[in-house]
Amino acid sequence: MDVMPKWAEVILVPLISLLLAAVLSALVILAIGENPWDALKLMVDGALGSTYGWGYTLYYATNFIFTGLAVAIAFHARMFNIGGEGQAVLGGLGVALVCLYIPFPHWSLALITASVGAALFGAAWAFIPAILQAKRGSHIVITTIMFNFIAAALLNYLLVGALKPAGSMEPATGKFPETTHLPSFQDMFSFGEATLFRGAPANISFFVAIAACIALWALIWRTRLGYEIRAYGHSESAAKYAGISPTKIIVVSLLISGGLAGMMAINNVQGEAERLVLNAVEGAGFIGIAVALMGRSHPLGVFLAAILFGFLYQGGAELALWTSIPRELIVVIQALVILFTGALDNMVRMPLERFFLSRRKPPKPDAKSTPAVGTN
Amino acid sequence: MTAPAIELKGISKAFGPVQANKDISIRVMPGTIHGIIGENGAGKSTLMSILYGFYKADKGEIFIGGTKTDIPDSQSAIAAGIGMVFQHFKLVENFTVLENIILGAEDSGLLRPSLSRARRELKALADEYELNVDPDAIVEDIGVGMQQRVEILKALYRQADILILDEPTGVLTPAEADHLFRILENLRREGKTIILITHKLREIMDITDTVSVMRRGEMTATVKTVDTSPQELAELMVGRKVLLRVEKTPASPGDVILDVQDLNVTDAKGVHRVKGISFNVRAGEILGIAGVAGNGQSELLEVLGGYEKASGQITVNGTPIDLTGQKSDGQSRRRRGIAHVPEDRQAEGLIMDYAAWENTAFGYHHDAKYRNGLFMNNAAILQDTTEKMERFDVRPPDPKLAAKNFSGGNQQKIVLAREIERNPDLLLIGQPTRGVDIGAIEFIHQQIVALRDQGKAILLVSVELEEILALSDRIAVMFDGHIMGERDPAQTDEKELGLLMAGMTGNPSQVSVKDIEENLAHAGTGKV
């Protein structure tokens, strides 16, 4: 018997958490001598007030959807994949290799191949920690964190060496060929005179991200594999009893997780930069953790949380541009959102549960379904 | 007229929407043993937790020795003279008995004076109540029976006049349980008041003066033990007539279905758990494996169920099964016609957060009828679950309700329905009625016997001797990884089996409890 109705669980709890984070953020902005109301208006205007703003918000959101889904699927197997950052770096490498070395007649083929390349590279990077966890019991949190650093170092090495075009002074690959360039929202949604999303980086991979949400939802709740992953996540001992191999679940769920994190690269590397640069991931791997937490590991929740964080990213950039509020403050606001929606979840949940309990009618005296209480 | 040692008036306690205790009043007279009996979830433990200061009652008053007393925490309970012996002992394993006894009741910053005072008092208590323990033994080296005595001594050392024991015999062999009851009788003679919480009717009949029955959070009756019968108590607990005996005809065993030869199991910690056992189970019979928990029975079930490696040879229907390789997993076992109702349904048999329908496919989710390519055939599973719930009388019959929201008995029925309805050749069943209400026990026993009568082989593991005796066609007793012997249930009794459970043979009347305990402690088994 659930204490709260479903709608309160999925809407009310995050909403109140967000409001609390907003109130605290307002106080911080007030404390540095700015007007929080103006700041909010500026953020909303900058991120959502124009197709240009939306173009940025959705671009960031696309990154966060991929990394958020990556963390979410691992959560279902009760694995904490903290290595989305490194897996996304490797995904970028996969995209770069595909785009640089395979001649494509059309962007659509390039998108498909690059997606596969990104997923394979990301998955391969997750495979090593996964197999170490499954076979040797090395804790996945530790190994994936370490692999983030190895990934960064590896990329560094390649970008000042093998992948750097001759004569270039910059640690980056050369520009990808024209046929690999993905259609941006500006290309897709401008008709006749009206140019929408002018200059914004959002591109077709946003729709790939949506497709990934739907595919992951089906995987988790409709397939036999998803059933086994969730079963293992709920109870390892029960999974063993049912003949579900823990090794298989750990490895497979982390391969999917790493693959999703890697696929982020079709957005930021192929779609936006059109070449591979250092630090292309920009922390999106870590934001994915917050997105998955806030989205309760549900693909729809991840989607909505990713949009919210996209808004915070873009709105924060606008704040830094037009006010004396430093860019770092936006990190504070994001941290508050994470704090309230993730870490302090119970602070909001418990009073709400009490509220709903007090409104409930007393149980019928002879309820057959009275759950067992008290253990013997 | 003397004041009651304990009087509770109108105690109520709710956890969220669940009313665990409803307007409970009870009077326990000093110098008596008062039994509290009820099914799992009836609210016995909650009531005692209120008395011991773990929970605060929403309503109601507590009187100790006639004075109204507030018990906000366990310190106050101890101060009021209440001692509690929990089902799961609260001892520091690597401390000595003496250190455990003074823990939290030291006289000063220095240990030595407290220890020598405790040693003196322990001597006196031991002589007075037959509570013999070695004060210098390390707790993890002594048997469960002695650990329990340490718990009782802890309470007495703190001047407890009222002793509450929660399911004290769950982990004891019959001889040890008898010894415990002698101690309780000694305590009663000295004027102590004892509250005994149990679900075993026989213990209530044997030792208590009065008994209170709880059902669904309410106190349904308080009667003098001499004026009642097990049958009446069972009816009060369940609220309807129940059959306490299992009706079954003699078995007509057929071919050997399961044959185990020289089976050895070493667990992940390197402990040798099963030591070269051999036995078989035939079609149409129930082999019961008795033993104190922790003597290798669980590992035996795990090997047969496919989630523990072993050496030796096991054949099912004449063909060997894989014990170490690729085909030693649960899926392969199921394909070989082995079904398994595990000992711990909450940790193994069910995913508590999964709905009943998802649990119905659990372990069989790759079966052709439950799958649809890569996907699950949810419609088929739901349909199947609805039918199974109907046949096994699962309440509430809602396939979409999460397993955790069913009572223990109904959870067990969900597991049983899943395993039995697959029509296995061999059914492994561990602790079939642990934490199951009496009403459901009757049903579950009938199902097991019915499966036997269909000519299936059944391997039953249970720590409840009564259950073993009632259901089995043959009984094997396990002790320290060995099978101590096989007995015909018609020609044995609890005394003889109890001795075998302690690893001894011979005439029960010539063996002392001390020998039994030493043997158990020596084998390092029977730890909870």
Side-chain angles (χ1 to χ4, degrees):
Chain A
M1 196 181 308
D2 297 319
V3 197
M4 274 194 281
K6 189 109 180 157
W7 64 268
E9 168 85 29
V10 296
I11 299 174
L12 213 52
V13 173
L15 205 66
I16 293 176
S17 301
L18 271 181
L19 276 177
L20 287 174
V23 168
L24 223 63
S25 305
L27 289 178
V28 175
I29 293 174
L30 214 57
I32 58 173
E34 293 277 340
N35 182 337
W37 182 245
D38 290 346
L40 179 68
K41 272 216 309 237
L42 195 60
M43 281 180 79
V44 172
D45 248 13
L48 312 173
S50 63
T51 54
Y52 169 84
W54 272 103
Y56 268 94
T57 299
L58 293 183
Y59 163 73
Y60 291 125
T62 308
N63 287 341
F64 302 151
I65 291 174
F66 280 119
T67 53
L69 289 178
V71 177
I73 178 69
F75 272 162
H76 279 287
R78 204 179 285 171
M79 295 276 133
F80 196 177
N81 177 14
I82 224 167
E85 192 80 4
Q87 289 141 18
V89 167
L90 263 283
L93 186 61
V95 166
L97 293 178
V98 164
C99 291
L100 286 173
Y101 296 108
I102 304 178
F104 288 103
H106 190 260
W107 63 263
S108 57
L109 281 176
L111 176 61
I112 294 167
T113 321
S115 298
V116 172
L120 280 180
F121 271 66
W125 204 244
F127 175 74
I128 307 168
I131 202 81
L132 284 173
Q133 168 79 61
K135 295 284 188 195
R136 315 295 318 166
S138 318
H139 203 286
I140 196 87
V141 169
I142 310 288
T143 45
T144 49
I145 286 183
M146 294 198 294
F147 266 64
N148 287 338
F149 290 101
I150 304 175
L154 178 69
L155 190 71
N156 212 334
Y157 170 76
L158 290 173
L159 287 184
V160 298
L163 290 178
K164 185 167 69 76
S168 163
M169 300 290 284
E170 198 191 0
T173 67
K175 204 95 174 124
F176 298 159
E178 196 68 37
T179 51
T180 66
H181 292 183
L182 299 180
S184 68
F185 276 18
Q186 184 183 344
D187 304 334
M188 295 159 70
F189 298 111
S190 295
F191 307 100
E193 292 298 295
T195 308
L196 299 178
F197 298 102
R198 185 195 298 275
N203 59 73
I204 194 160
S205 42
F206 176 67
F207 297 102
V208 180
I210 291 177
C213 285
I214 296 167
L216 199 73
W217 172 83
L219 174 87
I220 295 172
W221 278 287
R222 286 293 179 269
T223 68
R224 286 183 280 146
L225 178 64
Y227 175 86
E228 291 192 339
I229 289 175
R230 284 182 295 133
Y232 176 80
H234 282 304
S235 166
E236 181 175 354
S237 52
K240 280 188 186 161
Y241 156 81
I244 297 167
S245 154
T247 308
K248 175 186 146 189
I249 297 302
I250 291 173
V251 171
V252 169
S253 60
L254 278 168
L255 284 180
I256 298 171
S257 176
L260 284 165
M263 277 180 73
M264 174 193 138
I266 59 169
N267 184 47
N268 69 333
V269 177
Q270 188 180 12
E272 197 256 347
E274 296 174 347
R275 60 185 186 140
L276 182 59
V277 297
L278 270 184
N279 194 24
V281 182
E282 289 184 303
F286 293 116
I287 298 290
I289 298 168
V291 167
L293 280 174
M294 194 175 170
R296 303 247 170 273
S297 300
H298 191 290
L300 180 62
V302 166
F303 176 79
L304 295 175
I307 304 265
L308 172 75
F309 275 85
F311 158 76
L312 285 177
Y313 250 58
Q314 172 56 14
E318 292 285 321
L319 270 190
L321 200 60
W322 300 109
T323 67
S324 64
I325 298 173
R327 207 192 152 92
E328 283 69 29
L329 187 79
I330 212 63
V331 181
V332 173
I333 295 176
Q334 285 161 6
L336 285 171
V337 170
I338 296 171
L339 187 71
F340 277 98
T341 57
L344 296 181
D345 185 61
N346 272 340
M347 197 178 80
V348 175
R349 185 179 300 269
M350 298 201 0
L352 262 184
E353 282 181 352
R354 268 202 292 279
F355 171 74
F356 279 102
L357 271 179
S358 66
R359 290 193 31 175
R360 180 182 295 221
K361 281 172 243 116
K364 276 167 271 160
D366 189 26
K368 274 273 188 278
S369 62
T370 307
V373 154
T375 47
N376 283 314
Chain B
M1 187 182 158
T2 46
I6 300 177
E7 181 166 15
L8 303 179
K9 279 187 184 166
I11 298 282
S12 290
K13 173 77 187 168
F15 295 99
V18 182
Q19 192 75 31
N21 283 166
K22 204 180 319 174
D23 192 22
I24 287 181
S25 298
I26 182 176
R27 292 158 68 103
V28 181
M29 299 311 285
T32 62
I33 300 182
H34 191 108
I36 295 186
I37 195 162
E39 302 189 293
N40 280 287
K44 297 171 298 199
S45 292
T46 306
L47 187 65
M48 290 307 120
S49 298
I50 290 170
L51 194 49
Y52 200 61
F54 281 173
Y55 298 138
K56 193 174 165 1
D58 301 337
K59 273 207 299 267
E61 296 173 323
I62 301 172
F63 294 84
I64 307 285
T67 25
K68 186 170 180 312
T69 314
D70 264 341
I71 306 182
D73 51 37
S74 53
Q75 291 294 327
S76 330
I78 292 168
I82 299 173
M84 182 116 173
V85 176
F86 293 92
Q87 196 175 0
H88 300 285
F89 305 148
K90 314 233 179 272
L91 296 171
V92 183
E93 293 255 301
N94 55 354
F95 274 17
T96 65
V97 168
L98 215 50
E99 284 168 336
N100 266 292
I101 284 175
I102 64 162
L103 186 63
E106 305 91 343
D107 299 328
S108 62
L110 290 173
L111 283 184
R112 196 168 288 277
S114 311
L115 283 170
S116 47
R117 183 170 77 88
R119 192 182 295 276
R120 281 196 308 278
E121 288 200 15
L122 212 57
K123 181 86 178 57
L125 289 171
D127 295 345
E128 200 172 346
Y129 301 115
E130 239 185 293
L131 273 162
N132 307 304
V133 291
D134 171 7
D136 298 310
I138 305 287
V139 163
E140 62 191 349
D141 296 337
I142 61 178
V144 180
M146 203 183 284
Q147 290 183 0
Q148 190 171 55
R149 292 209 289 277
V150 175
E151 286 283 12
I152 296 174
L153 283 166
K154 255 169 70 180
L156 294 178
Y157 184 73
R158 285 158 179 72
Q159 319 280 311
D161 286 319
I162 300 157
L163 205 58
I164 306 170
L165 294 105
D166 189 3
E167 300 281 355
T169 59
V171 290
L172 303 181
T173 63
E176 288 175 303
D178 286 346
H179 184 208
L180 171 68
F181 289 162
R182 275 210 306 284
I183 294 172
L184 295 186
E185 276 163 7
N186 290 338
L187 288 167
R188 169 170 58 186
R189 195 159 44 239
E190 297 299 322
K192 307 277 185 194
T193 309
I194 293 161
I195 297 181
L196 178 70
I197 303 167
T198 183
H199 67 280
K200 293 181 183 166
L201 293 167
R202 213 195 43 182
E203 292 176 357
I204 291 288
M205 298 310 295
D206 280 357
I207 189 169
T208 61
D209 301 303
T210 35
V211 51
S212 299
V213 184
M214 290 189 71
R215 172 154 54 100
R216 291 205 184 115
E218 290 181 78
M219 195 66 88
T220 50
T222 297
V223 290
K224 283 213 173 328
T225 310
V226 288
D227 298 338
T228 187
S229 67
Q231 191 64 42
E232 188 193 8
L233 288 177
E235 279 173 39
L236 285 168
M237 275 163 75
V238 185
R240 63 177 173 85
K241 278 209 182 302
V242 285
L243 236 99
L244 291 178
R245 294 216 155 275
V246 184
E247 308 254 356
K248 74 190 217 319
T249 52
S252 45
D255 299 334
V256 171
I257 300 290
L258 171 72
D259 186 53
V260 175
Q261 292 299 326
D262 193 27
L263 186 75
N264 281 281
V265 183
T266 305
D267 70 10
K269 287 182 193 142
V271 182
H272 199 182
R273 290 290 185 179
V274 177
K275 300 171 178 169
I277 63 171
S278 303
F279 64 91
N280 63 39
V281 189
R282 292 168 177 278
E285 74 166 353
I286 300 173
L287 174 68
I289 295 200
V292 179
N295 277 285
Q297 310 97 307
S298 306
E299 286 76 12
L300 174 64
L301 283 182
E302 284 168 12
V303 166
L304 291 168
Y307 49 110
E308 178 75 82
K309 310 273 184 233
S311 66
Q313 191 178 11
I314 299 178
T315 58
V316 173
N317 282 324
T319 328
I321 59 172
D322 187 359
L323 292 181
T324 50
Q326 283 287 317
K327 295 224 178 274
S328 66
D329 68 320
Q331 293 291 325
S332 311
R333 293 287 195 274
R334 285 175 176 79
R335 281 194 287 273
R336 289 292 303 274
I338 303 175
H340 182 188
V341 178
E343 288 184 298
D344 188 342
R345 66 182 156 270
Q346 303 203 339
E348 295 180 343
L350 296 166
I351 300 281
M352 299 306 279
D353 284 321
Y354 271 9
W357 71 271
E358 287 175 295
N359 273 304
T360 292
F362 195 52
Y364 302 108
H365 50 283
H366 295 307
D367 279 12
K369 66 171 173 174
Y370 287 155
R371 75 168 182 230
N372 190 357
L374 283 176
F375 294 85
M376 312 254 301
N377 189 344
N378 292 359
I381 301 172
L382 260 172
Q383 174 67 32
D384 209 29
T385 309
T386 310
E387 290 168 18
K388 284 195 168 104
M389 289 181 116
E390 166 98 40
R391 274 199 293 279
F392 277 75
D393 190 30
V394 178
R395 291 180 211 183
D398 176 4
K400 294 195 169 157
L401 195 64
K404 64 182 174 195
N405 293 331
F406 288 92
S407 71
N410 284 302
Q411 288 172 357
Q412 188 72 323
K413 284 183 189 172
I414 293 174
V415 178
L416 265 180
R418 177 179 78 206
E419 303 298 327
I420 287 181
E421 295 265 304
R422 200 155 181 282
N423 198 22
D425 296 331
L426 169 67
L427 177 71
L428 313 169
I429 180 161
Q431 320 300 348
T433 54
R434 178 183 281 170
V436 167
D437 26 288
I438 292 198
I441 288 178
E442 183 187 345
F443 179 85
I444 289 168
H445 283 172
Q446 282 166 358
Q447 293 297 321
I448 296 172
V449 172
L451 194 70
R452 179 202 72 164
D453 292 342
Q454 289 168 34
K456 310 297 183 186
I458 294 169
L459 181 69
L460 164 76
V461 169
S462 176
V463 292
E464 303 273 357
L465 260 187
E466 263 179 86
E467 182 167 68
I468 292 276
L469 278 163
L471 284 176
S472 311
D473 300 310
R474 270 189 301 143
I475 298 172
V477 183
M478 276 189 84
F479 167 74
D480 193 23
H482 299 284
I483 287 185
M484 293 301 297
E486 267 188 36
R487 294 290 183 272
D488 179 346
Q491 288 164 22
T492 187
D493 57 17
E494 298 207 358
K495 277 214 161 61
E496 189 190 19
L497 293 175
L499 214 54
L500 290 169
M501 284 162 68
M504 300 163 108
T505 46
N507 185 344
S509 56
Q510 286 164 8
V511 180
S512 75
V513 174
K514 194 156 175 289
D515 297 334
I516 290 179
E517 284 189 343
E518 274 175 8
N519 221 26
L520 283 168
H522 182 67
T525 59
K527 296 261 170 64
V528 196

